[in-house]
Amino acid sequence: MKEYIVTKHAIQRAVERLGQTEQHAPHHLKQLMQTAFYQGETPGPNGFIRKFYDHFKTKTRLVVIGEKIITVYKFPEAVPIPFADEVAQVIKRKFAKSERDFKRKERALSIEIAEFNVELAQHRLSYAKAKSPKVRESLSDKISELETKVGRIQFELDEAIKAFNAIKEGAAKYL
């Protein structure tokens, strides 16, 4: 267990900001430091490196230089965004619209792929039944052309799915 020195300023801030008594503040701050998580460091105005530790359970940030706790404060409260409800409603509507468009496009492309697969199966059956090399060559060309079309449509469908998933993830961040 690392031992920290608590400055008078830190004690005053613990009394002021955390509601601790002056005699209990040093012990309280040392206890917080034992379970606080290191967040980073910045150079201070006097050249010392300030290290920041966050204690998430109590929503407290501690600032340390070397082994001295120099100040303490609560996490800043989230500032309410003006028009947050209206923005959320707009995002929901836009997401619902993109979801409808995606489902419509996905359904159309899936149907198109299924129809080409039926046609492809018929040509493969005809190819298997055909005896003439000329007919087989003609059917082989049609089969390869249909396979190319199915591959192109499948690629288009995959791209639409990726685009919709990106939209879904983006909307989830705001909602």
Coordinates of all heavy atoms in Angstrom, one line a residue, residues 62-110:
L62 N -8.6 12.9 -8.2 CA -7.5 13.3 -7.4 C -6.3 13.7 -8.2 O -6.0 13.0 -9.2 CB -7.1 12.2 -6.4 CG -8.2 11.7 -5.5 CD1 -8.6 10.2 -5.8 CD2 -7.9 11.9 -4.1
V63 N -5.7 14.8 -7.9 CA -4.5 15.3 -8.6 C -3.3 15.1 -7.7 O -3.3 15.6 -6.5 CB -4.7 16.8 -9.0 CG1 -3.5 17.2 -9.8 CG2 -5.9 17.0 -9.8
V64 N -2.3 14.5 -8.2 CA -1.1 14.1 -7.4 C 0.2 14.6 -8.1 O 0.3 14.5 -9.3 CB -1.0 12.6 -7.3 CG1 0.2 12.1 -6.5 CG2 -2.3 12.0 -6.6
I65 N 1.1 15.1 -7.3 CA 2.4 15.5 -7.8 C 3.4 14.7 -6.9 O 3.4 14.9 -5.7 CB 2.7 17.0 -7.7 CG1 1.8 17.8 -8.6 CG2 4.2 17.3 -8.0 CD1 2.0 19.3 -8.6
G66 N 4.1 13.8 -7.6 CA 5.0 12.9 -6.8 C 4.2 12.0 -5.9 O 3.5 11.1 -6.4
E67 N 4.3 12.2 -4.6 CA 3.5 11.4 -3.7 C 2.6 12.3 -2.8 O 2.2 11.9 -1.8 CB 4.5 10.5 -2.8 CG 5.2 9.5 -3.6 CD 6.0 8.5 -2.8 OE1 5.8 8.5 -1.5 OE2 6.7 7.7 -3.4
K68 N 2.4 13.5 -3.3 CA 1.5 14.4 -2.6 C 0.2 14.6 -3.3 O 0.2 14.8 -4.5 CB 2.2 15.8 -2.5 CG 3.4 15.9 -1.6 CD 3.9 17.4 -1.6 CE 5.1 17.5 -0.8 NZ 5.6 18.8 -0.8
I69 N -0.9 14.4 -2.6 CA -2.2 14.7 -3.1 C -2.4 16.2 -3.0 O -2.4 16.7 -1.9 CB -3.3 13.9 -2.4 CG1 -3.0 12.4 -2.4 CG2 -4.7 14.2 -2.9 CD1 -3.9 11.6 -1.5
I70 N -2.5 16.9 -4.1 CA -2.6 18.4 -4.1 C -4.0 18.9 -4.1 O -4.2 20.0 -3.6 CB -1.7 19.0 -5.1 CG1 -2.1 18.6 -6.5 CG2 -0.2 18.7 -4.9 CD1 -1.5 19.5 -7.6
T71 N -4.9 18.2 -4.8 CA -6.3 18.7 -4.8 C -7.2 17.5 -5.2 O -6.8 16.5 -5.6 CB -6.5 19.9 -5.8 OG1 -7.7 20.5 -5.6 CG2 -6.4 19.4 -7.2
V72 N -8.5 17.8 -4.9 CA -9.5 16.8 -5.2 C -10.8 17.5 -5.6 O -11.0 18.6 -5.1 CB -9.7 15.9 -4.0 CG1 -10.2 16.7 -2.8 CG2 -10.7 14.8 -4.2
Y73 N -11.5 16.9 -6.5 CA -12.8 17.5 -6.9 C -13.7 16.4 -7.5 O -13.2 15.3 -7.9 CB -12.6 18.6 -7.9 CG -11.9 18.3 -9.2 CD1 -12.5 17.9 -10.3 CD2 -10.5 18.5 -9.2 CE1 -11.8 17.6 -11.5 CE2 -9.8 18.2 -10.4 CZ -10.5 17.8 -11.5 OH -9.8 17.5 -12.6
K74 N -15.0 16.7 -7.5 CA -16.0 15.7 -8.1 C -15.9 15.8 -9.6 O -15.5 16.9 -10.2 CB -17.4 16.1 -7.7 CG -17.7 15.8 -6.2 CD -17.9 14.3 -6.0 CE -18.5 14.0 -4.7 NZ -18.7 12.6 -4.5
F75 N -16.3 14.7 -10.3 CA -16.3 14.8 -11.8 C -17.3 15.9 -12.2 O -18.4 16.0 -11.5 CB -16.9 13.5 -12.3 CG -15.9 12.3 -12.3 CD1 -16.4 11.1 -12.4 CD2 -14.5 12.5 -12.0 CE1 -15.5 10.0 -12.3 CE2 -13.7 11.4 -12.0 CZ -14.2 10.2 -12.1
P76 N -17.1 16.6 -13.2 CA -18.0 17.5 -13.7 C -19.3 16.8 -14.1 O -19.3 15.8 -14.7 CB -17.4 18.2 -14.9 CG -16.1 17.5 -15.1 CD -15.9 16.5 -14.0
E77 N -20.5 17.4 -13.7 CA -21.8 16.8 -14.1 C -22.0 17.0 -15.6 O -21.5 18.0 -16.2 CB -22.9 17.5 -13.3 CG -22.9 17.3 -11.8 CD -23.1 15.8 -11.5 OE1 -23.9 15.2 -12.1 OE2 -22.5 15.4 -10.5
A78 N -22.7 16.1 -16.2 CA -22.9 16.2 -17.6 C -23.8 17.4 -17.8 O -24.8 17.6 -17.2 CB -23.7 14.9 -18.1
V79 N -23.3 18.2 -18.8 CA -24.1 19.4 -19.1 C -25.2 19.0 -20.1 O -25.0 18.4 -21.1 CB -23.1 20.4 -19.8 CG1 -23.9 21.7 -20.2 CG2 -22.0 20.7 -18.9
P80 N -26.5 19.4 -19.7 CA -27.6 19.1 -20.6 C -27.4 19.8 -22.0 O -27.1 21.0 -22.0 CB -28.8 19.5 -19.8 CG -28.3 20.5 -18.9 CD -26.9 20.2 -18.6
I81 N -27.6 19.0 -23.0 CA -27.5 19.6 -24.3 C -28.9 20.2 -24.7 O -29.9 19.6 -24.5 CB -27.2 18.5 -25.3 CG1 -25.9 17.8 -25.0 CG2 -27.2 19.0 -26.7 CD1 -25.6 16.6 -25.8
P82 N -28.9 21.5 -25.1 CA -30.1 22.1 -25.5 C -30.7 21.3 -26.7 O -30.0 20.9 -27.6 CB -29.7 23.5 -25.9 CG -28.3 23.7 -25.7 CD -27.7 22.4 -25.3
F83 N -32.0 21.2 -26.7 CA -32.7 20.5 -27.7 C -32.4 19.0 -27.8 O -32.5 18.4 -28.9 CB -32.5 21.2 -29.1 CG -32.7 22.7 -29.1 CD1 -31.7 23.5 -29.2 CD2 -34.0 23.2 -28.8 CE1 -31.8 24.9 -29.2 CE2 -34.1 24.6 -28.8 CZ -33.1 25.4 -29.0
A84 N -31.9 18.4 -26.8 CA -31.5 17.0 -26.8 C -32.6 16.1 -27.2 O -32.4 15.2 -28.0 CB -30.9 16.6 -25.5
D85 N -33.8 16.4 -26.7 CA -35.0 15.5 -27.0 C -35.3 15.6 -28.5 O -35.6 14.6 -29.2 CB -36.2 15.9 -26.2 CG -36.0 15.6 -24.7 OD1 -35.1 14.7 -24.4 OD2 -36.6 16.2 -23.9
E86 N -35.3 16.9 -29.0 CA -35.6 17.1 -30.4 C -34.6 16.4 -31.3 O -34.9 15.8 -32.4 CB -35.7 18.6 -30.8 CG -36.9 19.3 -30.2 CD -36.6 19.8 -28.7 OE1 -35.5 19.5 -28.2 OE2 -37.5 20.4 -28.2
V87 N -33.3 16.5 -31.0 CA -32.2 15.9 -31.7 C -32.4 14.4 -31.7 O -32.3 13.7 -32.8 CB -30.8 16.3 -31.2 CG1 -29.7 15.5 -31.8 CG2 -30.6 17.8 -31.4
A88 N -32.7 13.8 -30.6 CA -33.0 12.4 -30.5 C -34.1 11.9 -31.4 O -34.1 10.9 -32.0 CB -33.2 12.0 -29.0
Q89 N -35.2 12.7 -31.4 CA -36.4 12.4 -32.2 C -36.0 12.4 -33.7 O -36.4 11.6 -34.5 CB -37.5 13.4 -31.9 CG -38.2 13.2 -30.6 CD -38.7 11.8 -30.4 OE1 -39.3 11.2 -31.3 NE2 -38.6 11.3 -29.2
V90 N -35.2 13.4 -34.1 CA -34.8 13.5 -35.5 C -33.9 12.3 -35.9 O -34.1 11.7 -36.9 CB -34.0 14.8 -35.7 CG1 -33.3 14.8 -37.1 CG2 -34.9 16.0 -35.6
I91 N -33.0 11.9 -35.0 CA -32.2 10.8 -35.2 C -33.0 9.5 -35.3 O -32.8 8.7 -36.2 CB -31.1 10.7 -34.1 CG1 -30.1 11.8 -34.3 CG2 -30.3 9.3 -34.2 CD1 -29.1 11.9 -33.2
K92 N -34.0 9.4 -34.4 CA -34.9 8.2 -34.5 C -35.6 8.1 -35.8 O -35.7 7.1 -36.4 CB -35.8 8.2 -33.3 CG -35.2 7.8 -32.0 CD -36.2 7.9 -30.9 CE -35.6 7.6 -29.5 NZ -36.5 7.8 -28.4
R93 N -36.1 9.3 -36.2 CA -36.9 9.3 -37.5 C -36.0 8.9 -38.7 O -36.4 8.2 -39.6 CB -37.5 10.7 -37.7 CG -38.8 10.9 -37.0 CD -39.6 12.0 -37.5 NE -38.9 13.3 -37.5 CZ -38.8 14.2 -36.5 NH1 -39.4 13.9 -35.4 NH2 -38.1 15.3 -36.7
K94 N -34.8 9.5 -38.7 CA -33.9 9.3 -39.8 C -33.4 7.8 -39.8 O -33.3 7.2 -40.9 CB -32.6 10.2 -39.7 CG -32.9 11.6 -39.9 CD -33.1 11.9 -41.4 CE -33.1 13.4 -41.6 NZ -33.3 13.7 -43.0
F95 N -33.2 7.3 -38.6 CA -32.8 5.9 -38.5 C -34.0 5.0 -39.0 O -33.7 4.0 -39.7 CB -32.4 5.5 -37.1 CG -32.1 4.1 -36.9 CD1 -30.9 3.5 -37.5 CD2 -33.0 3.2 -36.3 CE1 -30.6 2.2 -37.4 CE2 -32.7 1.8 -36.1 CZ -31.5 1.3 -36.7
A96 N -35.2 5.3 -38.6 CA -36.3 4.5 -39.0 C -36.5 4.5 -40.5 O -36.8 3.5 -41.2 CB -37.6 4.9 -38.3
K97 N -36.2 5.7 -41.1 CA -36.3 5.8 -42.6 C -35.3 5.0 -43.3 O -35.5 4.2 -44.2 CB -36.2 7.3 -43.0 CG -36.3 7.5 -44.5 CD -36.0 8.9 -44.9 CE -36.1 9.0 -46.4 NZ -35.5 10.3 -46.8
S98 N -34.0 5.1 -42.8 CA -32.9 4.3 -43.4 C -33.2 2.8 -43.2 O -32.8 2.0 -44.0 CB -31.6 4.7 -42.8 OG -31.5 4.4 -41.5
E99 N -33.8 2.4 -42.0 CA -34.1 1.0 -41.8 C -35.1 0.5 -42.8 O -35.0 -0.6 -43.4 CB -34.6 0.8 -40.4 CG -34.7 -0.6 -40.0 CD -35.1 -0.8 -38.5 OE1 -35.8 0.1 -38.0 OE2 -34.8 -1.8 -38.0
R100 N -36.2 1.3 -43.1 CA -37.2 0.9 -44.0 C -36.6 0.8 -45.4 O -36.8 -0.1 -46.2 CB -38.3 2.0 -44.1 CG -39.3 1.9 -43.0 CD -40.5 2.8 -43.2 NE -40.2 4.2 -43.5 CZ -40.0 5.1 -42.6 NH1 -40.1 4.8 -41.3 NH2 -39.7 6.4 -42.9
D101 N -35.7 1.8 -45.8 CA -35.1 1.8 -47.1 C -34.2 0.5 -47.3 O -34.2 -0.1 -48.3 CB -34.3 3.0 -47.4 CG -35.1 4.3 -47.5 OD1 -36.4 4.1 -47.8 OD2 -34.6 5.4 -47.4
F102 N -33.5 0.2 -46.2 CA -32.6 -0.9 -46.2 C -33.4 -2.2 -46.4 O -33.0 -3.1 -47.2 CB -31.7 -1.0 -44.9 CG -31.1 -2.3 -44.8 CD1 -30.0 -2.7 -45.6 CD2 -31.5 -3.2 -43.8 CE1 -29.4 -3.9 -45.4 CE2 -30.9 -4.4 -43.6 CZ -29.8 -4.8 -44.4
K103 N -34.4 -2.4 -45.6 CA -35.3 -3.6 -45.7 C -35.9 -3.7 -47.1 O -35.9 -4.8 -47.6 CB -36.3 -3.6 -44.6 CG -35.8 -3.9 -43.2 CD -36.9 -3.9 -42.2 CE -36.4 -4.2 -40.8 NZ -37.4 -4.2 -39.8
R104 N -36.3 -2.6 -47.7 CA -36.9 -2.7 -49.0 C -35.8 -3.1 -50.0 O -36.1 -4.0 -50.9 CB -37.4 -1.3 -49.3 CG -38.2 -1.2 -50.6 CD -38.8 0.2 -50.9 NE -39.7 0.6 -49.8 CZ -39.5 1.7 -49.0 NH1 -38.5 2.5 -49.2 NH2 -40.3 2.0 -48.1
K105 N -34.6 -2.5 -49.9 CA -33.6 -2.8 -50.9 C -33.1 -4.3 -50.7 O -32.9 -5.0 -51.6 CB -32.4 -1.9 -50.7 CG -31.3 -2.1 -51.7 CD -30.2 -1.0 -51.5 CE -29.2 -1.1 -52.6 NZ -28.2 0.0 -52.6
E106 N -33.0 -4.7 -49.4 CA -32.5 -6.1 -49.1 C -33.5 -7.1 -49.7 O -33.1 -8.1 -50.3 CB -32.4 -6.3 -47.6 CG -32.0 -7.7 -47.2 CD -32.0 -7.9 -45.7 OE1 -32.9 -7.3 -45.0 OE2 -31.2 -8.6 -45.2
R107 N -34.8 -6.8 -49.5 CA -35.9 -7.7 -50.0 C -35.8 -7.8 -51.5 O -35.8 -8.9 -52.1 CB -37.2 -7.2 -49.5 CG -38.3 -8.3 -49.6 CD -39.6 -7.8 -49.0 NE -39.5 -7.2 -47.7 CZ -39.7 -5.9 -47.4 NH1 -40.1 -5.1 -48.3 NH2 -39.6 -5.5 -46.2
A108 N -35.7 -6.7 -52.2 CA -35.6 -6.6 -53.7 C -34.4 -7.4 -54.2 O -34.5 -8.2 -55.1 CB -35.6 -5.2 -54.2
L109 N -33.2 -7.2 -53.5 CA -32.0 -7.8 -54.0 C -32.1 -9.3 -53.7 O -31.6 -10.1 -54.5 CB -30.8 -7.2 -53.3 CG -30.4 -5.8 -53.8 CD1 -29.3 -5.2 -52.9 CD2 -30.1 -5.8 -55.3
S110 N -32.6 -9.7 -52.6 CA -32.8 -11.1 -52.3 C -33.7 -11.8 -53.2 O -33.4 -13.0 -53.7 CB -33.3 -11.3 -50.8 OG -32.4 -10.8 -49.9

